[in-house]
Amino acid sequence: MLSSVPGFAELLGRCERSAVHLELRDAYAATDRFEAWRRGERIDWTDRDSWWHPYDQLIADTVARGVVVRRARVVSEPVSEYIRWEHYVTHANVTAGEQVRWLPRRRATAIPLPGNDFWLFDDALLRVHHFSGEGAVVEDEITDDAEAVKLCSAAFAVVWERAIPHHLYKV
């Protein structure tokens, strides 16, 4: 395991080929954006300046450098309210250049999955997210442990193969 945890932008900046993100939770800690959506507020997708965030620009810049950025979400069905919101805001991820797919949890039974969400950079370096029971980030861990990388890479590949592209997945 590596000792320090570089920031996400630094990790993505070092990335040369691929960055993949696997999400396994049905809910994360509530944000102001999620609470606004729950109150019925919707994003004007035609007004990019109103919703384009530094994260979106970071992804767009990374994709422009030739790095493939993919995100897969394993979700229970019927989906949670949080996942309905995530599906809605994924428009921003896709616009920024991420490829996103959704895998119904019932189709994941035979997949050896890691216990935590993660980012895997260039099939070599993992940023593992540790969450509280309520979905708040407790800690991020960086590791290049070969076994952990192998498990996470293999899990993501199978999830990606079985998952449904964002534009086809209905919540």
Side-chain angles (χ1 to χ4, degrees):
M1 177 150 73
L2 304 176
S3 59
S4 63
V5 180
F8 180 71
E10 180 181 341
L11 291 167
L12 212 50
R14 293 182 200 166
C15 199
E16 296 177 359
R17 295 177 313 283
S18 70
V20 301
H21 186 35
L22 184 62
E23 296 180 5
L24 301 167
R25 297 178 59 92
D26 286 319
Y28 297 85
T31 65
D32 291 342
R33 292 173 58 208
F34 174 61
E35 293 303 330
W37 178 84
R38 289 180 83 193
R39 289 190 303 272
E41 296 176 28
R42 295 300 180 258
I43 297 168
D44 178 0
W45 294 114
T46 64
D47 180 12
R48 185 172 131 158
D49 290 340
S50 71
W51 57 266
W52 190 259
H53 295 165
Y55 173 84
D56 303 314
Q57 191 60 53
L58 177 62
I59 295 300
D61 293 345
T62 302
V63 170
R65 289 191 293 110
V67 176
V68 176
V69 180
R70 297 182 294 162
R71 176 186 305 257
R73 293 178 171 131
V74 178
V75 296
S76 300
E77 291 180 323
V79 300
S80 67
E81 182 180 37
Y82 191 94
I83 294 299
R84 282 197 320 274
W85 172 73
E86 259 193 346
H87 188 272
Y88 173 73
V89 297
T90 295
H91 177 85
N93 300 78
V94 172
T95 300
E98 279 190 40
Q99 300 172 35
V100 180
R101 292 187 181 180
W102 303 81
L103 181 66
R105 195 171 306 281
R106 70 178 180 277
R107 294 170 59 182
T109 301
I111 302 171
L113 293 171
N116 299 294
D117 291 13
F118 65 84
W119 277 93
L120 176 59
F121 303 95
D122 289 333
D123 292 314
L125 185 66
L126 280 169
R127 180 179 181 150
V128 180
H129 303 300
H130 298 286
F131 294 95
S132 71
E134 298 299 320
V137 175
V138 173
E139 173 183 36
D140 282 337
E141 170 188 354
I142 299 293
T143 184
D144 59 1
D145 176 77
E147 289 301 312
V149 166
K150 181 179 175 183
L151 170 69
C152 291
S153 179
F156 185 87
V158 176
V159 168
W160 188 258
E161 177 184 305
R162 294 182 186 183
I164 301 163
H166 175 70
H167 71 280
L168 297 175
Y169 186 69
K170 306 300 178 211
V171 294

